[in-house]
Amino acid sequence: EAQVTQNPRYLITVTGKKLTVTCSQNMNHEYMSWYRQDPGLGLRQIYYSMNVEVTDKGDVPEGYKVSRKEKRNFPLILESPSPNQTSLYFCASSLQNLATEAFFGQGTRLTVV
Amino acid sequence: QQQVKQSPQSLIVQKGGIPIINCAYENTAFDYFPWYQQFPGKGPALLIAIRPDVSEKKEGRFTISFNKSAKQFSLHIMDSQPGDSATYFCAASIRRDDKIIFGKGTRLHILP
């Protein structure tokens, strides 16, 4: 089954404790991206990757890091999480760029206290 | 320039009615306009998309109307059902580019 898998689904952490949210896709897609969803603000792109070792900032990249060492994986790293990073996070992949259908993961609800 | 303005923020419609969600953009370079549907606890999923060389596209009960001169596009749901209750996002992107801009979403509730 074609899918984008995120882990964990839920995470509560404390301010400053480094964390990683994993994302993996099994569709051999070149393009992957991370979004955060907040009430009243919709979906905002954090980072995206056009291929292995190629990444770029989206609209809200501050406080986040990403890496793309393998085509299927695109982890999101929060080096020092803060409460304003409490949000619902989605990973997505698409065959080429965002002018093609994006497949989203189930989401990771992160709470930073 | 890079915004996509979506309205209304929330919408309640009786079963069988025709909810309409509107989006407006400024950047005339946008050339791909998808709509995504998101059910509670799930990630968004592509519902229907249109390119600016057509004025309307239908897929089942879902129709996108596109007005290039007004820089507006809208989603209509014919014969709406309670199962259509979800959050709907419009979006815009440029095919040669690698970014997409989403609207803020519309929470739609269809009453039984």
Side-chain angles (χ1 to χ4, degrees), chain A residues 9 31 35 37 40-43 45 48 50 57-59 90 97-102 104-106, chain B residues 9 32 36 38 41-46 51 89 93-104:
Chain A
R9 292 290 311 277
Y31 193 103
Y35 299 86
Q37 182 176 7
L41 297 178
L43 289 161
Q45 192 180 45
Y48 60 96
M50 294 77 83
K57 297 177 181 178
D59 296 314
F90 287 101
N97 61 14
L98 282 162
T100 56
E101 179 178 1
F104 284 79
Q106 295 274 65
Chain B
Q9 195 170 8
Y32 178 70
Y36 281 82
Q38 182 184 29
K42 303 289 186 182
L46 180 66
R51 302 200 190 278
F89 293 96
S93 69
I94 303 170
R95 274 179 283 179
R96 67 177 185 276
D97 206 347
D98 291 307
K99 290 191 176 182
I100 188 168
I101 308 295
F102 284 91
K104 294 187 177 180

Side-chain angles (χ1 to χ4, degrees), chain B residues 16-83:
Chain B
I18 305 175
I20 301 172
I21 303 171
N22 299 299
C23 287
Y25 62 98
E26 288 295 324
N27 188 349
T28 54
F30 286 141
D31 57 6
Y32 178 70
F33 302 89
W35 285 87
Y36 281 82
Q37 179 188 54
Q38 182 184 29
F39 293 108
K42 303 289 186 182
L46 180 66
L47 181 64
I48 186 173
I50 196 168
R51 302 200 190 278
D53 52 348
V54 298
S55 60
E56 185 177 276
K57 183 173 182 180
K58 288 184 181 180
E59 286 189 7
R61 295 183 294 106
F62 299 90
T63 299
I64 300 179
S65 298
F66 189 85
N67 187 330
K68 190 173 182 178
S69 60
K71 291 184 284 187
Q72 295 175 348
F73 58 109
S74 59
L75 178 70
H76 302 232
I77 306 175
M78 309 301 290
D79 187 28
S80 59
Q81 302 295 314

Side-chain angles (χ1 to χ4, degrees), chain A residues 37-62:
Chain A
Q37 182 176 7
D38 301 289
L41 297 178
L43 289 161
R44 294 180 293 168
Q45 192 180 45
I46 303 171
Y47 268 96
Y48 60 96
S49 169
M50 294 77 83
N51 214 323
V52 175
E53 302 291 1
V54 183
T55 64
D56 204 351
K57 297 177 181 178
D59 296 314
V60 288
E62 294 78 21

Side-chain angles (χ1 to χ4, degrees), chain A residues 48-95:
Chain A
Y48 60 96
S49 169
M50 294 77 83
N51 214 323
V52 175
E53 302 291 1
V54 183
T55 64
D56 204 351
K57 297 177 181 178
D59 296 314
V60 288
E62 294 78 21
Y64 305 95
K65 283 176 57 177
V66 292
S67 68
R68 187 93 180 271
K69 296 186 179 354
E70 304 167 282
K71 196 171 187 177
R72 64 183 292 128
N73 296 322
F74 190 44
L76 179 69
I77 303 157
L78 284 73
E79 295 270 5
S80 183
S82 62
N84 65 13
Q85 292 179 298
T86 292
S87 186
L88 179 59
Y89 291 87
F90 287 101
C91 177
S93 75
S94 52
L95 186 59

